[in-house]
Amino acid sequence: MGLTMAEKVFSSKAGRSVQAGEYVVLPVDRAMCHEGFLLSCAKLIASGIGKVWDPEKVVVIMDHYVPSPDVKMAEAHAKIRKLVKQCGLKHYFGEREGVCHQVMVEKGLALPGDLIVGTDSHTCTYGGLAAAATGIGTSEMAYVLATGDLWFQVPHSIRVMLNGRLPQRVYSKDVSLALAGRFGSEFAQYRSIEFSGDLVQDLSIDSRLVLSNMSVEFGAKFGMFPVDDVTISYLKSIGAEDIEVFSADDDAEYERTCTLDADGLEPMIALPHTVDNVKPVREVAGEKVDQVLLGSCTNGRLEDLREAAGILKDRQVAPSVRMYVYPASRQVLRQAMDEGIIQVLSSAGAVICPASCGPCFGSHGGLLASGEVCISSTNRNFKGRMGSPEAKVFLASPATVAASALFGKITDPREVG
Amino acid sequence: MIIQGRAWVLGDNIDTDLIVPGQYLMASLEDQAKHVFEAIDPTFVKEVRQGDIIVAGKNFGCGSSREMAPQVLKHLGIGCILAEDFARIFFRNAIAVGLPALTVKNISGKVEHMDEVGISLDSGRVIVKSKALEFFAAPLPEKMREIIDAGGIDGILKNLAAR
C-alpha cells in the first residue's frame, strides 16, 4: 500500500512506516510562535523546566498586536523580548518582518517534508511548500518547547482534485471559497488535504499558500501541495538547499476525492457569518460596504496587491469607503513599493498599514462599528470576528475586494475594465 | 470519573470568536468570561453554574487556536462539552486545559436546555435521566485521557519537571 504525503512525513519522523489512524509521539522540526510565546514560555517557567529543548528550532515572530495598540500589549511585547533573550532563541524576528506565516515561508523556515507546529490556526499555510504544518494551542506549545515532541494522530487524507484553468479575474481564493461552499466548513475535519490535478501546475506559490491557508477553514490539519518545479524554483530563489522532492505514492489511499473544475468558476464570496456560506459575487453585487480590507496571511502577498492595484490604477476608492492595506510582510511591502503598487494603492485613497495581522482577528487596527459592512480578503467572517457582533464581514479575493472599494458596494471584478 | 450537570444546548459551528471575541483576548480571564456567547445568548454568562455541561452540534470550536476558548468555559464552571464533533484545535486545547470534550454522535436535537446529563468518562456512557436517553461517546485516545487525568498539560509539565 502506498503512502499519502502526510503518512510519508510522519513515517520519516517515526523511522518506520506509519499509517492513517495511528497515534504517534514525534519530534517536530520547528515550533513557530507569535505573541502566544509569552503564554507558552510562562508555563514552561512555571513548571520548573525553564529552558527550551532546542533554541535553533523555535521561531518567534510578533504580528498580532503590531504596533502595540496599548500599554498592556507593550508590556507583553517587552516580556517576550526578554524571554527570547533568556531562552537564547536563534530565530527571532520581533515586529519588524510581518505576519508570522509569510515570514516563515520567506525565511526558508518551512520546507518540504518538515513537521511544524505553530500557535496559530493558519500554520497550515506552509503546506503550500509541502510541509506538514498545523496549529496548536499555547499549552501544547509549552510541552513542545519543553520536549521538542508532540503527540499526533496520523490523519486520513482527502484528495482535492483541481482541474482546468482559472478564468479571468478568478483566483485561488475563489477556489477555496468554492470548496467551502460546495463541501462545507468541515469536510476535511481532522484530515490532511492533498491538492492535485492539472490546475496545480498553473498556481504560483503565492496562490498555493492561499489554498493551504484556507484549509483550516474546512477543518483540515494540513493542506499540502506536492513538490514540483514551481516549488523548487521558489525555494531556490530564497536560497533553500537540500530540497526534499516528494509527493504521494500513486497507490496512496484517500478517504475521499473532492473534485472542482476551475474552467467555469466565477468570483466567489462568503456571506456572513460562516466561511461556507458562499455564493457567486454577482448574486450579492450592489450590497453597500463601509470598509475594505486587503491583506493578511491569506491574501496579503505580492500577487494579491498587484491584482488589486491593477483594478485601482488611476482610479479612486469611493469616498464612502475606507480601505486598509495590510501587506503580509515587510518583504512584500518592499517589492510592492519597487513595482509601484503601493503608489497606485495610496493614490487611489487606500490607507497603507504596517505588515501585520491588523483587524483580521478583531483586536485592533480597523474594527467595525455595529451595522457596518466590510469586504475583506482575510479568512474568517464569524459574528464579532472583526469588531461589533452587529457588523457583517464578507470574504472574497483581492480583485473582488478592490473592485468593491471602487464603487463602495460589492462588485464582480469582471465588471471592471 | 463521573460528571453530572445541567445542559446548555447550542447549535452547529460554534466558533472561537463566539466563545471569546478577539477584542477581549488580552483581557483577564475574569473579563473574558463576561463576554462568552454574548453575540448569541446573553443569558449564558448570567446563568451558567459550576458543573454545567454544553451539548452542541457539529464543528464545535471552529476557528482560531486561542486556548482562552476552552479555558474561559472551564473558568465559568463548564464540566464537560459534548458535541457531534469538534474542530481539531479546540478539541486538543480543551483536553490541554483539562476540560473533557467528548464526541457523541446523534446527541444533537435530543437534549433540551437544562436537562440533567450524566457522563462517565471511563465508559463513555452519557445519560439524560428525564428522557431515559442513553448515548455512548467515542473513547478519548489514551494520550488525551492521560492529560485529563493529570489535570491538563500544566500537570504533565510539572510531572516532567519532577522527573
Side-chain angles (χ1 to χ4, degrees), chain A residues 258-280:
Chain A
C258 298
T259 304
L260 192 113
D261 287 312
D263 289 322
L265 197 64
E266 297 184 70
M268 304 300 277
I269 189 162
L271 280 58
H273 297 284
T274 56
V275 182
D276 60 358
N277 187 13
V278 172
K279 288 186 175 170

Side-chain angles (χ1 to χ4, degrees), chain A residues 193-258:
Chain A
I193 291 178
E194 279 183 28
F195 293 101
S196 62
D198 56 11
L199 177 68
V200 166
Q201 65 193 4
D202 286 356
L203 298 177
S204 66
I205 293 301
D206 278 8
S207 292
R208 293 179 190 191
L209 294 171
V210 176
L211 278 154
S212 296
N213 176 282
M214 289 294 287
S215 293
V216 71
E217 309 311 328
F218 323 139
K221 180 174 193 161
F222 307 138
M224 301 179 79
F225 280 82
V227 180
D228 63 6
D229 292 345
V230 177
T231 328
I232 294 167
S233 98
Y234 175 81
L235 289 171
K236 283 190 174 157
S237 79
I238 60 165
E241 289 166 4
D242 303 326
I243 301 162
E244 194 181 330
V245 179
F246 82 112
S247 55
D249 290 329
D250 291 338
D251 58 346
E253 196 175 327
Y254 296 95
E255 195 178 68
R256 180 181 177 193
T257 296
C258 298

Side-chain angles (χ1 to χ4, degrees), chain A residues 23 43 47 72-73 119-121 134-135 137-140 150-151 185-186 189-190 361-362 380 382-383 385, chain B residues 13 15 17 22-23 25-26 39 58-59 63-65 67 85-88 92-93 141 143-144 153-154 161:
Chain A
Y23 290 92
K43 274 182 191 286
S47 71
K72 190 168 183 184
M73 212 47 235
T119 54
D120 190 274
S121 59
T134 197
T138 44
S139 286
E140 291 204 307
L150 192 62
W151 73 271
S185 62
E186 58 164 354
Q189 195 72 277
Y190 240 108
F361 75 108
R380 287 184 186 135
F382 302 152
K383 202 170 169 62
R385 169 82 178 172
Chain B
N13 298 311
D15 63 68
D17 282 278
Q23 53 183 313
L25 286 177
M26 285 309 294
K58 288 182 185 167
N59 207 20
S64 154
S65 61
E67 197 171 285
D85 64 24
F86 291 88
R88 181 190 147 267
R92 291 190 71 124
N93 280 343
K143 201 78 203 168
M144 287 192 142
I153 295 280
D154 288 355

